[in-house]
Every structure is written in C-alpha cells, then in structure tokens.
Amino acid sequence: MYRWIQQFGSPKYFYDISLVVSKWIGVICLICFIAGLYGGLVIAPPDYQQGDSYRIIYIHVPASWMSLFVYMILAISGAITLIWRIKIADFVARSSAIIGASFTFLALATGAIWGKPMWGTYWVWDARLTSELILLFLYLGYIALQSSFEDRRVGARAGAILALIGVINIPIIHYSVEWWSTLHQGPTISKLDAPSIHYSMLIPLLLMAIAYKTFYIYTLLINIRSEIIESEYNATWVKKMIGD
Amino acid sequence: MLFENFFSMGGYGIYVWSAYAITFIVLILNLFFTIKREKKILRNYKKK
Amino acid sequence: MSPRKKRIFVICIVLSGITISVALILTAFEKNLMYFYSPTEVANGSAPEVRDFRIGGIVLKDSVKRNVDNLKVSFVLTDTVSEIEVQYEGILPDLFREGQGIVANGKLQSNNIFIAKQVLAKHDENYMPPEVAEALEKANSHFMEQYK
C-alpha cells in the first residue's frame, strides 16, 4: 500500500500520466456539458409544479454535490499530507480549495436565485442553507490559512488540520434535511431509493453531474502540473521534459 | 414562437438565465486562471 | 508589515471567522433547530406564545379566501391531524396553492388565528412533466374510487 502510494505520489510519474489523462477528461467534460445543457434547457419538459424555473436544478444540484465531494478530497489529501508527508497530496489539496469554494458559491448563488420565485425568498436560515454557507467559510479559511505561512510545509499542515476539523460539517449538510425540519426539500436522488425525478429530466442532470466532476478533475490535473514544476524546479526530469 | 419560449422560460427567464450566467462566468474564470498559470510557469521555465 | 505579523493577522482573521460561524450556527440552531412547528405542535401548546415563530403545513383544499380589494388572504393550514387558520397580507410566492406545503412566519393570536408576516412555499423533491403528474393523479383517483 505504502509503496503504491509512493509510486503514484512520485511527481514524475504523476506528471506523465496527467498529460495524457487530462486531454481525454477535457473532451468528456465538453461533450457532457453540451449534451447536458441541451437536454436540460431544450429537451427536458417543464415541471408540473415549478414550470421552467426548475431548470436551475441542472446547475444547482451538481454544484452542491461537487462542493461536498471536493471538500472530502481536500480533507483526505490533508490527512495523507499529515500522515505520510507525500507532496502530491498537498498539491491536490492546494489545487482543490479555490474550485471547491467556487462550487460552494455557485450552489448558494443558484439556490438563492431559484428560491426567490419558488419559495418566495432568496435566503432563509434553515439547517441546510446555513451549513452550506459554513462550508464556504471553511474553504475560504483553508485558502487564507494555508497561504499565510512562509514555509509551505507548515502552511500545508495547518490547512490540513483545519480541513479535517471541518469534515464534521459534511454529514451535517447531507442529513440536515432529514434531521431537522427545513425549508429545503429532501434529496431528489439518494442512493437507496429510486430517484423522484422523471427520467426525461434525470438524464440531463446526470450528464451535468459528469460534466462538473470532469471539469474539476481537468482543472485539478493542470493545477497539479503547475505545482509540480514549481516545486521540482531543479529536478533533472523536469529539465529533460520541458527544457529542450 | 419556440425561440421566444426558450428565452422567457415561462416567465422565469430572468432567474434561470442569471443563474446560468453566474455559473458560466465562475467556471470560465476558474479554467482561464488555471490554464494561464500553467502557461506562465512553463514560459518562465523555458526562459531560464 | 513583516511576514510574521502578517501571518498572525491572517490566523486571527481565520480564527475569528470560525468563531463567528460557530456562533452563527449555535444561535441559528438554538432558536430554530426546528425551522418550523407543525399545526399539531401549535395545538398542544409546544410553540412559543410570545415571540414570532414559523408554522409549516399544507394549505387545506377550498380554504383559501382572497380579499377582492387588497392583498389580504386567509387560509387553513393542516398536517392532517390539526388545523389552524392563517391570515396574511402581501404577495404570495408562485408556488402557493391549495394542497401545497408552506411555511409561514408570524405570531399566534389569543383567538388561535396565526397572523403571518411572511409566507414561503415549500416544495417536495419530486420533479416530473405535467402530463405525467396528470396521469398519476388520474390513476390515483381511479384507484381511490375502486376502493371506496
């Protein structure tokens, strides 16, 4: 296990693979985005209650999913940084923070815009919305903390500790709609039940979910490459690969 | 007309399109700065 | 500013940010850990009497009375066990209709009428085309008739 992590964590190995993978990820992302947008905005029928306003679901739900997913990546790579001191793990965490904060912001912003016509308000302090706002603060806190140290390694460790403390918020966000009575409705798609959304509306949603996830991986890979070159500035393999 | 329907979104056009616009802007900015950073780092490296 | 001072400054900001957000959670959840009360809870007196609170339930069919001259509206809120009359003046959200779940914010009067300052619609997690909803409704009423 450790050896495998180390091999995968070796910057050169990672760099080589990421060059090939990121291209294909980018292509998949673009295709899913176009198909998902077309399906969601043009093909999918209006909702029986919410009319056309429900189409915000295609950008709101994937952003919310990604805000949680990216945070888990941030926390896990933080834990790896603390335990094994593997450089790549720190790169993953660093490269995830801004895009994770972006997803969280988008989940909040699109939700507010959706809430105005349907609920009758942009914002309420219910458990779901409040815990998602705290997630945004956690991301911003991580970015500020991790960049405020002169010594990168100290910054990485401090950020990792903050990220791990913040993990407590993730199940709170997820189960908030079940634990407390909230204005926000329960999950449309959960792993145990059949989705409570018609398949003609579900397919574009899944396409958009793939598009968001591949978008994250795409930017993540590019950012990690930048981090690698910055930190391995004098390594011979970097000279060989880029220098000529 | 079908095209008009698409833009008005059954009267919710302002909400739907502003949500999509914000999403588009934020994602594009993320992509732009990511690619710009990689290019800059590679260029600096080659200059050296 | 020296780098060390800058670092202390940022750590202070982060810490105060965390403190503020934790304080926010605690106050927000303390007061309304339950975002709203049900009509049954209001009926058996577990809702606050003095301060404002939120009540959530379903708008009873055929109970909505609109005033022709102004935006005053009254309706009955139910959770299928208890009912409570709600009065409100203002613009209702688009989703407000009979049979719809809503959350109203306001005060309970001594005559057991809830005066709402704000009415929000709560929708469920189901999404489907109008035709499918119609078909479901039809099938449902057919089913009900058979087992009457």
Side-chain angles (χ1 to χ4, degrees), chain C residues 20-43:
Chain C
I20 289 169
S21 42
V22 168
L24 259 175
I25 312 178
L26 291 180
T27 47
F29 283 9
E30 166 102 296
K31 259 194 218 138
N32 357 282
L33 193 58
M34 284 301 167
Y35 187 69
F36 53 79
Y37 294 91
S38 70
T40 305
E41 284 169 314
V42 174

mmCIF file of all heavy atoms in Angstrom, chain C residues 20-43:
data_model
loop_
_atom_site.group_PDB
_atom_site.id
_atom_site.type_symbol
_atom_site.label_atom_id
_atom_site.label_comp_id
_atom_site.label_asym_id
_atom_site.label_seq_id
_atom_site.Cartn_x
_atom_site.Cartn_y
_atom_site.Cartn_z
ATOM 1 N N ILE C 20 -17.024 33.206 14.532
ATOM 2 C CA ILE C 20 -18.288 33.840 14.135
ATOM 3 C C ILE C 20 -19.232 32.805 13.540
ATOM 4 O O ILE C 20 -20.415 32.765 13.880
ATOM 5 C CB ILE C 20 -18.035 34.990 13.133
ATOM 6 C CG1 ILE C 20 -17.369 36.170 13.853
ATOM 7 C CG2 ILE C 20 -19.344 35.439 12.491
ATOM 8 C CD1 ILE C 20 -16.854 37.235 12.921
ATOM 9 N N SER C 21 -18.676 31.923 12.680
ATOM 10 C CA SER C 21 -19.587 30.967 12.047
ATOM 11 C C SER C 21 -20.125 29.948 13.047
ATOM 12 O O SER C 21 -21.282 29.564 12.977
ATOM 13 C CB SER C 21 -18.938 30.283 10.843
ATOM 14 O OG SER C 21 -17.623 29.936 11.123
ATOM 15 N N VAL C 22 -19.272 29.542 14.007
ATOM 16 C CA VAL C 22 -19.781 28.623 15.035
ATOM 17 C C VAL C 22 -20.863 29.315 15.864
ATOM 18 O O VAL C 22 -21.924 28.739 16.140
ATOM 19 C CB VAL C 22 -18.631 28.136 15.948
ATOM 20 C CG1 VAL C 22 -19.190 27.423 17.176
ATOM 21 C CG2 VAL C 22 -17.708 27.211 15.191
ATOM 22 N N ALA C 23 -20.604 30.597 16.212
ATOM 23 C CA ALA C 23 -21.608 31.349 16.964
ATOM 24 C C ALA C 23 -22.903 31.452 16.169
ATOM 25 O O ALA C 23 -24.001 31.312 16.706
ATOM 26 C CB ALA C 23 -21.076 32.744 17.286
ATOM 27 N N LEU C 24 -22.732 31.680 14.861
ATOM 28 C CA LEU C 24 -23.893 31.771 13.965
ATOM 29 C C LEU C 24 -24.702 30.489 14.001
ATOM 30 O O LEU C 24 -25.921 30.518 14.156
ATOM 31 C CB LEU C 24 -23.424 32.022 12.522
ATOM 32 C CG LEU C 24 -23.520 33.450 12.020
ATOM 33 C CD1 LEU C 24 -22.915 33.552 10.635
ATOM 34 C CD2 LEU C 24 -24.959 33.908 12.004
ATOM 35 N N ILE C 25 -23.994 29.349 13.875
ATOM 36 C CA ILE C 25 -24.704 28.067 13.883
ATOM 37 C C ILE C 25 -25.460 27.920 15.186
ATOM 38 O O ILE C 25 -26.634 27.583 15.199
ATOM 39 C CB ILE C 25 -23.747 26.849 13.861
ATOM 40 C CG1 ILE C 25 -22.695 26.977 12.804
ATOM 41 C CG2 ILE C 25 -24.508 25.554 13.694
ATOM 42 C CD1 ILE C 25 -21.734 25.797 12.825
ATOM 43 N N LEU C 26 -24.735 28.158 16.293
ATOM 44 C CA LEU C 26 -25.352 27.893 17.588
ATOM 45 C C LEU C 26 -26.585 28.753 17.805
ATOM 46 O O LEU C 26 -27.623 28.253 18.200
ATOM 47 C CB LEU C 26 -24.329 28.106 18.715
ATOM 48 C CG LEU C 26 -23.221 27.047 18.726
ATOM 49 C CD1 LEU C 26 -22.247 27.311 19.839
ATOM 50 C CD2 LEU C 26 -23.820 25.648 18.851
ATOM 51 N N THR C 27 -26.476 30.049 17.470
ATOM 52 C CA THR C 27 -27.654 30.897 17.683
ATOM 53 C C THR C 27 -28.773 30.519 16.724
ATOM 54 O O THR C 27 -29.928 30.424 17.128
ATOM 55 C CB THR C 27 -27.318 32.386 17.497
ATOM 56 O OG1 THR C 27 -26.581 32.525 16.299
ATOM 57 C CG2 THR C 27 -26.528 32.928 18.665
ATOM 58 N N ALA C 28 -28.402 30.279 15.463
ATOM 59 C CA ALA C 28 -29.435 29.956 14.479
ATOM 60 C C ALA C 28 -30.128 28.646 14.844
ATOM 61 O O ALA C 28 -31.344 28.549 14.804
ATOM 62 C CB ALA C 28 -28.834 29.867 13.081
ATOM 63 N N PHE C 29 -29.331 27.633 15.251
ATOM 64 C CA PHE C 29 -29.912 26.323 15.522
ATOM 65 C C PHE C 29 -30.574 26.261 16.888
ATOM 66 O O PHE C 29 -31.506 25.524 17.104
ATOM 67 C CB PHE C 29 -28.839 25.228 15.412
ATOM 68 C CG PHE C 29 -28.503 24.895 14.000
ATOM 69 C CD1 PHE C 29 -28.988 25.674 12.958
ATOM 70 C CD2 PHE C 29 -27.723 23.799 13.678
ATOM 71 C CE1 PHE C 29 -28.687 25.378 11.641
ATOM 72 C CE2 PHE C 29 -27.417 23.490 12.371
ATOM 73 C CZ PHE C 29 -27.899 24.285 11.351
ATOM 74 N N GLU C 30 -30.034 27.059 17.806
ATOM 75 C CA GLU C 30 -30.627 27.122 19.132
ATOM 76 C C GLU C 30 -32.081 27.548 19.029
ATOM 77 O O GLU C 30 -32.978 26.919 19.575
ATOM 78 C CB GLU C 30 -29.842 28.123 19.978
ATOM 79 C CG GLU C 30 -30.541 28.538 21.238
ATOM 80 C CD GLU C 30 -29.972 27.818 22.445
ATOM 81 O OE1 GLU C 30 -30.095 26.582 22.510
ATOM 82 O OE2 GLU C 30 -29.391 28.498 23.283
ATOM 83 N N LYS C 31 -32.274 28.665 18.324
ATOM 84 C CA LYS C 31 -33.616 29.236 18.212
ATOM 85 C C LYS C 31 -34.497 28.398 17.306
ATOM 86 O O LYS C 31 -35.633 28.095 17.635
ATOM 87 C CB LYS C 31 -33.522 30.666 17.666
ATOM 88 C CG LYS C 31 -33.657 31.692 18.767
ATOM 89 C CD LYS C 31 -33.913 33.053 18.148
ATOM 90 C CE LYS C 31 -33.163 34.121 18.926
ATOM 91 N NZ LYS C 31 -32.545 35.101 18.059
ATOM 92 N N ASN C 32 -33.984 28.075 16.142
ATOM 93 C CA ASN C 32 -34.809 27.302 15.211
ATOM 94 C C ASN C 32 -34.071 26.085 14.703
ATOM 95 O O ASN C 32 -33.857 25.919 13.533
ATOM 96 C CB ASN C 32 -35.271 28.119 13.998
ATOM 97 C CG ASN C 32 -34.834 29.533 14.080
ATOM 98 O OD1 ASN C 32 -35.435 30.296 14.801
ATOM 99 N ND2 ASN C 32 -33.785 29.904 13.372
ATOM 100 N N LEU C 33 -33.677 25.241 15.634
ATOM 101 C CA LEU C 33 -33.105 23.965 15.226
ATOM 102 C C LEU C 33 -34.151 23.269 14.373
ATOM 103 O O LEU C 33 -33.865 22.690 13.335
ATOM 104 C CB LEU C 33 -32.811 23.138 16.478
ATOM 105 C CG LEU C 33 -31.950 21.930 16.248
ATOM 106 C CD1 LEU C 33 -30.621 22.338 15.647
ATOM 107 C CD2 LEU C 33 -31.708 21.190 17.541
ATOM 108 N N MET C 34 -35.385 23.379 14.842
ATOM 109 C CA MET C 34 -36.525 23.025 14.009
ATOM 110 C C MET C 34 -36.908 24.310 13.299
ATOM 111 O O MET C 34 -37.224 25.291 13.964
ATOM 112 C CB MET C 34 -37.689 22.555 14.870
ATOM 113 C CG MET C 34 -37.493 21.164 15.379
ATOM 114 S SD MET C 34 -37.302 20.051 13.986
ATOM 115 C CE MET C 34 -36.711 18.594 14.794
ATOM 116 N N TYR C 35 -36.855 24.281 12.006
ATOM 117 C CA TYR C 35 -37.123 25.526 11.301
ATOM 118 C C TYR C 35 -38.578 25.958 11.488
ATOM 119 O O TYR C 35 -38.861 27.132 11.554
ATOM 120 C CB TYR C 35 -36.803 25.356 9.823
ATOM 121 C CG TYR C 35 -36.895 26.640 9.062
ATOM 122 C CD1 TYR C 35 -35.973 27.650 9.287
ATOM 123 C CD2 TYR C 35 -37.919 26.852 8.146
ATOM 124 C CE1 TYR C 35 -36.061 28.843 8.609
ATOM 125 C CE2 TYR C 35 -38.012 28.046 7.464
ATOM 126 C CZ TYR C 35 -37.086 29.038 7.700
ATOM 127 O OH TYR C 35 -37.180 30.215 7.042
ATOM 128 N N PHE C 36 -39.493 25.004 11.581
ATOM 129 C CA PHE C 36 -40.894 25.386 11.782
ATOM 130 C C PHE C 36 -41.618 24.384 12.678
ATOM 131 O O PHE C 36 -41.161 23.266 12.908
ATOM 132 C CB PHE C 36 -41.627 25.502 10.442
ATOM 133 C CG PHE C 36 -41.518 24.295 9.570
ATOM 134 C CD1 PHE C 36 -42.304 23.167 9.806
ATOM 135 C CD2 PHE C 36 -40.630 24.268 8.497
ATOM 136 C CE1 PHE C 36 -42.206 22.060 8.989
ATOM 137 C CE2 PHE C 36 -40.530 23.153 7.695
ATOM 138 C CZ PHE C 36 -41.322 22.051 7.936
ATOM 139 N N TYR C 37 -42.761 24.811 13.214
ATOM 140 C CA TYR C 37 -43.614 23.940 14.034
ATOM 141 C C TYR C 37 -44.789 23.457 13.188
ATOM 142 O O TYR C 37 -45.220 24.132 12.257
ATOM 143 C CB TYR C 37 -44.145 24.709 15.240
ATOM 144 C CG TYR C 37 -43.081 25.110 16.225
ATOM 145 C CD1 TYR C 37 -42.430 26.332 16.123
ATOM 146 C CD2 TYR C 37 -42.726 24.263 17.268
ATOM 147 C CE1 TYR C 37 -41.445 26.696 17.021
ATOM 148 C CE2 TYR C 37 -41.746 24.617 18.183
ATOM 149 C CZ TYR C 37 -41.110 25.835 18.048
ATOM 150 O OH TYR C 37 -40.136 26.192 18.946
ATOM 151 N N SER C 38 -45.330 22.286 13.543
ATOM 152 C CA SER C 38 -46.492 21.776 12.816
ATOM 153 C C SER C 38 -47.766 22.252 13.524
ATOM 154 O O SER C 38 -47.727 22.602 14.702
ATOM 155 C CB SER C 38 -46.448 20.254 12.771
ATOM 156 O OG SER C 38 -46.691 19.743 14.059
ATOM 157 N N PRO C 39 -48.901 22.278 12.832
ATOM 158 C CA PRO C 39 -50.162 22.684 13.464
ATOM 159 C C PRO C 39 -50.470 21.875 14.722
ATOM 160 O O PRO C 39 -51.003 22.424 15.695
ATOM 161 C CB PRO C 39 -51.195 22.418 12.368
ATOM 162 C CG PRO C 39 -50.450 22.600 11.094
ATOM 163 C CD PRO C 39 -49.065 22.087 11.376
ATOM 164 N N THR C 40 -50.121 20.586 14.738
ATOM 165 C CA THR C 40 -50.368 19.777 15.934
ATOM 166 C C THR C 40 -49.563 20.293 17.120
ATOM 167 O O THR C 40 -50.072 20.422 18.230
ATOM 168 C CB THR C 40 -49.989 18.310 15.653
ATOM 169 O OG1 THR C 40 -50.699 17.873 14.505
ATOM 170 C CG2 THR C 40 -50.345 17.426 16.819
ATOM 171 N N GLU C 41 -48.288 20.612 16.851
ATOM 172 C CA GLU C 41 -47.441 21.153 17.923
ATOM 173 C C GLU C 41 -47.998 22.467 18.450
ATOM 174 O O GLU C 41 -47.936 22.747 19.649
ATOM 175 C CB GLU C 41 -46.012 21.357 17.414
ATOM 176 C CG GLU C 41 -45.231 20.063 17.303
ATOM 177 C CD GLU C 41 -43.918 20.248 16.564
ATOM 178 O OE1 GLU C 41 -43.906 20.906 15.500
ATOM 179 O OE2 GLU C 41 -42.912 19.735 17.046
ATOM 180 N N VAL C 42 -48.544 23.274 17.527
ATOM 181 C CA VAL C 42 -49.123 24.547 17.950
ATOM 182 C C VAL C 42 -50.371 24.281 18.783
ATOM 183 O O VAL C 42 -50.606 24.912 19.819
ATOM 184 C CB VAL C 42 -49.469 25.411 16.714
ATOM 185 C CG1 VAL C 42 -50.200 26.673 17.139
ATOM 186 C CG2 VAL C 42 -48.205 25.756 15.948
ATOM 187 N N ALA C 43 -51.161 23.289 18.348
ATOM 188 C CA ALA C 43 -52.416 22.999 19.050
ATOM 189 C C ALA C 43 -52.164 22.516 20.474
ATOM 190 O O ALA C 43 -52.882 22.898 21.401
ATOM 191 C CB ALA C 43 -53.208 21.954 18.269
#
